[in-house]
Amino acid sequence: MSHQETDKRKHGRLVWGIVFVALAMFGFGFALAPFYSLFCEITGLNGKVRTEAVDEVAYDVDVSREITIEFVTELNERMPLAFSVETPKMKIHPGQYYTVKFYGENLTDRPMLGRAIPSITPGTATAYLKKTECFCFSEQRFEPHQRREMPVRFVIDPGLPKDIKEMALSYTFFDISDTQKD
Amino acid sequence: MTEATHEEYAIHDEHFAHGHHDEHDHHGPAKGFMRWVFTTNHKDIGTLYLVTALIMFLVGGAMALVIRAELFEPGMQYVDPAFFNQMTTLHALIMVFGAVMPAFVGFANWMIPMMIGAPDMALPRMNNWSFWILPFAFTLLASTLFMEGGAPAAGWTLYPPLVLQGGAHLPFAIFSVHLLGMSSIMGAINIIVTVFNMRAPGMTLMKLPLFVWTWVITAFLLIAVMPVFAGAVTMLLTDKFFGTSFFNAAGGGDPVLYQHLFWFFGHPEVYIMILPSFGVISTIIPTFARKPLFGYSSMVYATASIGFLSFIVWAHHQYTVGMPLAGELYFTYATMLIAVPTGVKVFNWVATMWKGAMTFETPMLFAIAFVVLFTMGGFTGLMMSISPADLQYHDTYFIVAHFHYVLVPGAVFALFAGTYYWLPKWTGHMYDEKLGKLHFWLSTVSVNVLFFPQHFLGLAGMPRRIPDYAVQFAEFNAMSSVGAFIFGFSQLIFVWVVIKAIRGGEKATDEVWEGASEHGLEWTLPSPPPYHTWTTAPDIK
Ligand code: HEM
Ligand SMILES: [Cu+2]
């Protein structure tokens, strides 16, 4: 009997040790979520762009460099919005500020709440695109059949790595009307 | 309760009614169905796991035949695309969590105590729980087939956003995954505690049979990664129902995060299915080569390195998500590194056979086929580990061929080999060697007819997980489907051989295989072993 008792105690210690590891790994999985976001924000690896405005500071315009930037407009899950951009492609100089106009039109009879998520390719260019104004900084409300102009003002930091000659800025609009109702 | 009633088997149920659980009673099994419900005996629980695994293998196999029937010809014949996708998803989930994993846990329950000289598993009541969770988990999973919108159809990887767009199945599929995860973790705890605390005196760690070693390492992998998977699917659940945005881009999340979490679990998971196979093969080859295993300690270290490396290579499943160059390079090199310890193992198996006095009974035939065909799967793995090449292979039938080579003539053949090897010990009867050989040859030929053409389909660009395809893929698909049906129906021979051996047959000796008693403690016990074995620990030489 006493032999069994010590067995039980010996097992118990090991069991709780292992259970602790399992619980810690469960927590670790959740901890990876904020860690992943932070990692991507610092490295810009997933092309996720900061969604806060930066102050307009003056840069030296580097007219010797010309970069082609494309604007891509996308909708998630057939969102009923007509989403477009005035110029799909521009040639720009680093250091100079530009404004492009995007348009959104609500095609339904109901008010619509949208959220635009920007993404930049190549991911390494992410940190150099600075925006002082963008519709992606906040949720966008569209009244029924309302058509709105949404300007984006941005500059490319002249520190942009030399090998980047082309980049794309894409916006995907998500319909979040449902999530806001309740 | 008196001593006398202790000895009575028939009233065992009553023991439980009185809340009396004495695992160390020296008596045989209780009678009737309740024996199986309340059993805490490692042999009974091993049998329960193995029977469940066999049933799930047949269910998952039937789903595979639905898939292959539809793919026999181009065009849509028998099922609609939504159901086809449910079949691919359920087939994989059932084979992974229902067939291969429980079967190896069944082996572990039966064999580990007998191999290390322990009277039972360390935690018999938890053992009962970890088995009996499974039927509930599978009922939940299967019930999704009858729900609005059907079963999950996004593939066994359950990637968002696709998996979140299905019908009512999501919470059921996810709870089922939670239960399966809990069952695996409990099983793993039991194995670790048994091996660490219950070894017979003198059974040092470096004397453990390789099957036990591989299972200990597998158990550690399970404990480290099942909770991460449970966490990831919980995040799916909260994204869908509680408005969180872990994987929802609109709310600032990223679906690629799910892929990282999934494969942090998923890659070790594939090793969870193959390491015990390595153990079984390392046990069988020495017996039939009549030599000790070549390079025992290098086998232990190789298994441990594979276990470790499996944690740091996960993103080789995600070469196409847009990783930076440094990431692609790192995961390429790290993945290729796994081939080194794997190569050590294959070398050792071949060296064990080298100049051995070999005989070719069914277990050995399956073991040799394992060595050859698993290695082929390893080679295609190596091809895909090279990220620039994988951009072409990814999500084509090439990868379907790869993982079926490592899992079917890999893990499943190891299960066949182990079953034929230990069946005479378990039942006390020799199985039908003629039928066993027939099962072997039919399976080995048809498994190649089934999966080899899929390499060509993949290289030619046929995507995976589609119910219809372009006509230039017709011949190889037809060939593959023919192989599938032969393979599928050949398994009925296996079922029959097992049933036959349980019901009777030539009496097996204790040793069963000539000279086997030098290869493991289990062969010094009677066949079949009494209900309780090693109640006094054996002497270890
Ligand atoms: C030398 C060893 C191995 C290497 C280098 C290797 C490499 C790879 C790579 C690179 C992929 C991803 C292919 C893609 O999605 O494009 C893959 C997929 C896969 N491998 Fe392996 N592998 C090896 C061994 C194994 C073993 C032993 C198993 C299981 C027993 C396994 C099971 C799988 C599975 C199930 C998948 C597909 C997962 C999915 O997308 O559904 N592999 N392997
Ligand atoms: Cu992998």
Side-chain angles (χ1 to χ4, degrees):
Chain A
M1 204 58 206
S2 68
H3 175 67
Q4 267 182 18
E5 290 288 84
T6 54
D7 254 14
K8 284 242 163 71
R9 200 155 335 128
K10 208 162 74 175
H11 295 343
R13 261 205 314 270
L14 195 49
V15 171
W16 288 115
I18 302 170
V19 170
F20 176 78
V21 173
L23 290 177
M25 288 310 290
F26 189 71
F28 171 75
F30 282 88
L32 280 179
F35 176 75
Y36 174 85
S37 301
L38 191 70
F39 184 80
C40 289
E41 196 176 317
I42 293 170
T43 58
L45 281 188
N46 59 354
K48 232 191 244 177
V49 189
R50 288 185 50 192
T51 42
E52 293 115 53
V54 294
D55 292 332
E56 182 148 347
V57 287
Y59 291 98
D60 291 333
V61 180
D62 183 356
V63 284
S64 67
R65 274 183 85 185
E66 198 177 60
I67 291 157
T68 309
I69 183 163
E70 286 186 50
F71 303 103
V72 181
T73 53
E74 288 189 81
L75 297 168
N76 188 51
E77 290 180 21
R78 282 170 274 153
M79 178 184 185
L81 181 81
F83 180 35
S84 60
V85 59
E86 63 169 347
T87 41
K89 199 176 205 174
M90 281 167 80
K91 293 204 187 302
I92 57 172
H93 299 299
Q96 184 163 337
Y97 282 87
Y98 298 88
T99 304
V100 246
K101 291 194 192 93
F102 287 77
Y103 305 98
E105 182 182 352
N106 180 353
L107 301 175
T108 69
D109 301 330
R110 283 165 286 113
M112 181 191 286
L113 204 60
R115 169 105 222 188
I117 302 293
S119 169
I120 290 175
T121 24
T124 40
T126 310
Y128 301 93
L129 185 113
K130 309 244 153 87
K131 291 185 275 193
T132 58
E133 189 186 347
C134 180
F135 56 95
C136 61
F137 293 159
S138 60
E139 288 160 2
Q140 297 294 316
R141 195 183 156 84
F142 297 91
E143 298 309 326
H145 297 287
Q146 184 191 17
R147 178 179 159 89
R148 295 224 334 259
E149 186 181 293
M150 302 175 291
V152 172
R153 187 165 168 74
F154 69 95
V155 61
I156 302 287
D157 189 316
L160 183 78
K162 289 274 178 282
D163 58 319
I164 299 180
K165 299 190 175 63
E166 292 176 337
M167 55 196 286
L169 170 59
S170 97
Y171 289 98
T172 306
F173 244 109
F174 289 79
D175 191 351
I176 56 169
S177 315
D178 287 347
T179 57
Q180 303 301 307
K181 234 174 263 161
D182 32 44
Chain B
M1 205 168 289
T2 65
E3 251 343 275
T5 57
H6 260 213
E7 306 302 323
E8 292 281 335
Y9 310 153
I11 56 145
H12 202 71
D13 301 353
E14 207 193 335
H15 280 197
F16 290 95
H18 288 88
H20 180 119
H21 308 266
D22 192 346
E23 301 89 48
H24 298 288
D25 274 5
H26 292 267
H27 54 57
K31 290 220 168 65
F33 180 66
M34 282 305 165
R35 159 181 178 184
W36 301 105
V37 176
F38 291 118
T39 184
T40 56
N41 179 284
H42 73 101
K43 299 183 184 80
D44 281 354
I45 292 174
T47 304
L48 285 171
Y49 267 111
L50 287 170
V51 170
T52 307
L54 184 57
I55 294 169
M56 297 315 272
F57 179 62
L58 297 176
V59 172
M63 290 173 169
L65 293 187
V66 172
I67 296 170
R68 281 315 325 170
E70 182 56 54
L71 293 176
F72 179 65
E73 297 181 319
M76 299 303 304
Q77 278 86 31
Y78 308 108
V79 293
D80 64 83
F83 187 71
F84 182 92
N85 290 342
Q86 295 170 29
M87 285 293 106
T88 54
T89 306
L90 282 187
H91 159 70
L93 288 172
I94 286 178
M95 286 302 197
V96 169
F97 293 102
V100 176
M101 291 170 70
F104 280 121
V105 180
F107 278 8
N109 264 293
W110 254 103
M111 301 317 299
I112 288 179
M114 299 207 305
M115 284 177 157
I116 64 173
D120 203 315
M121 297 296 280
L123 310 157
R125 258 165 285 166
M126 193 166 84
N127 210 5
N128 174 289
W129 268 97
S130 58
F131 171 77
W132 278 108
I133 286 178
L134 291 181
F136 294 98
F138 292 127
T139 309
L140 271 182
L141 189 60
S143 70
T144 60
L145 268 174
F146 307 100
M147 285 172 188
E148 203 181 312
W156 79 288
T157 52
L158 308 173
Y159 277 4
L162 187 58
V163 74
L164 301 176
Q165 294 162 3
H169 64 69
L170 192 77
F172 295 87
I174 286 175
F175 286 142
S176 149
V177 166
H178 282 149
L179 290 177
L180 293 168
M182 276 197 298
S183 161
S184 304
I185 289 173
M186 289 200 278
I189 291 177
N190 223 334
I191 287 167
I192 293 176
V193 177
T194 306
V195 175
F196 279 25
N197 288 355
M198 307 266 292
R199 297 191 310 277
M203 179 60 85
T204 58
L205 285 179
M206 287 316 266
K207 275 191 192 160
L208 284 179
L210 220 81
F211 176 70
V212 181
W213 256 119
T214 53
W215 240 118
V216 170
I217 292 163
T218 303
F220 278 113
L221 294 187
L222 277 169
I223 285 164
V225 300
M226 284 313 289
V228 176
F229 185 35
V233 295
T234 307
M235 292 180 213
L236 284 178
L237 204 62
T238 60
D239 268 12
K240 172 102 176 179
F241 295 105
F242 303 109
T244 59
S245 293
F246 289 106
F247 311 129
N248 176 2
D254 187 342
V256 176
L257 169 63
Y258 177 85
Q259 301 189 12
H260 284 288
L261 291 172
F262 181 86
W263 289 113
F264 184 82
F265 148 81
H267 188 78
E269 168 66 24
V270 305
Y271 282 92
I272 286 165
M273 292 188 279
I274 207 70
L275 292 184
S277 321
F278 290 169
V280 171
I281 300 304
S282 306
T283 310
I284 290 175
I285 289 180
T287 304
F288 294 94
R290 293 170 178 73
K291 279 173 65 188
L293 182 67
F294 184 88
Y296 170 87
S297 51
S298 69
M299 283 300 216
V300 174
Y301 295 127
T303 312
S305 343
I306 292 175
F308 170 74
L309 288 173
S310 72
F311 286 108
I312 57 168
V313 297
W314 75 90
H316 63 214
H317 296 273
Q318 302 165 256
Y319 285 141
T320 58
V321 297
M323 270 191 286
L325 187 61
E328 303 264 345
L329 280 173
Y330 162 74
F331 283 107
T332 293
Y333 289 132
T335 304
M336 291 167 91
L337 211 54
I338 294 203
V340 176
T342 314
V344 168
K345 292 193 154 277
V346 174
F347 179 86
N348 286 350
W349 290 323
V350 176
T352 306
M353 290 189 264
W354 184 254
K355 293 191 175 166
M358 287 205 281
T359 52
F360 300 94
E361 288 88 341
T362 311
M364 184 62 164
L365 289 175
F366 272 110
I368 293 172
F370 173 97
V371 175
V372 175
L373 298 176
F374 170 79
T375 305
M376 278 181 38
F379 278 137
T380 51
L382 214 50
M383 288 171 70
M384 297 187 307
S385 69
I386 302 161
S387 55
D390 186 63
L391 297 186
Q392 185 189 347
Y393 308 143
H394 183 64
D395 271 349
T396 69
Y397 257 79
F398 192 79
I399 159 184
V400 177
H402 157 70
F403 66 72
H404 282 97
Y405 262 88
V406 285
L407 285 170
V408 183
V412 173
F413 270 27
L415 287 166
F416 290 150
T419 306
Y420 283 110
Y421 186 55
W422 285 312
L423 199 58
K425 173 61 57 187
W426 297 336
T427 61
H429 304 123
M430 277 316 278
Y431 61 85
D432 187 328
E433 186 68 49
K434 268 216 187 74
L435 284 182
K437 288 218 165 88
L438 180 69
H439 173 226
F440 168 77
W441 285 110
L442 279 173
S443 298
T444 304
V445 172
S446 62
V447 86
N448 284 293
V449 178
L450 162 54
F451 293 121
F452 207 81
Q454 297 184 356
H455 291 113
F456 303 128
L457 286 171
L459 292 178
M462 178 172 161
R464 68 190 285 204
R465 293 172 177 159
I466 52 161
D468 186 10
Y469 50 82
V471 284
Q472 76 263 30
F473 302 131
E475 280 80 10
F476 283 133
N477 269 300
M479 213 187 281
S480 179
S481 290
V482 170
F485 277 86
I486 301 176
F487 183 82
F489 285 99
S490 306
Q491 303 323 309
L492 298 178
I493 304 176
F494 175 68
V495 176
W496 175 237
V497 173
V498 172
I499 292 175
K500 225 177 128 186
I502 292 171
R503 289 169 59 187
E506 186 197 329
K507 186 89 191 67
T509 60
D510 294 356
E511 200 179 47
V512 182
W513 310 107
E514 184 193 73
S517 52
E518 287 165 35
H519 293 287
L521 284 178
E522 72 267 34
W523 306 111
T524 60
L525 290 166
S527 306
Y531 200 53
H532 295 284
T533 42
W534 302 137
T535 41
T536 50
D539 281 332
I540 312 291
K541 291 167 285 188

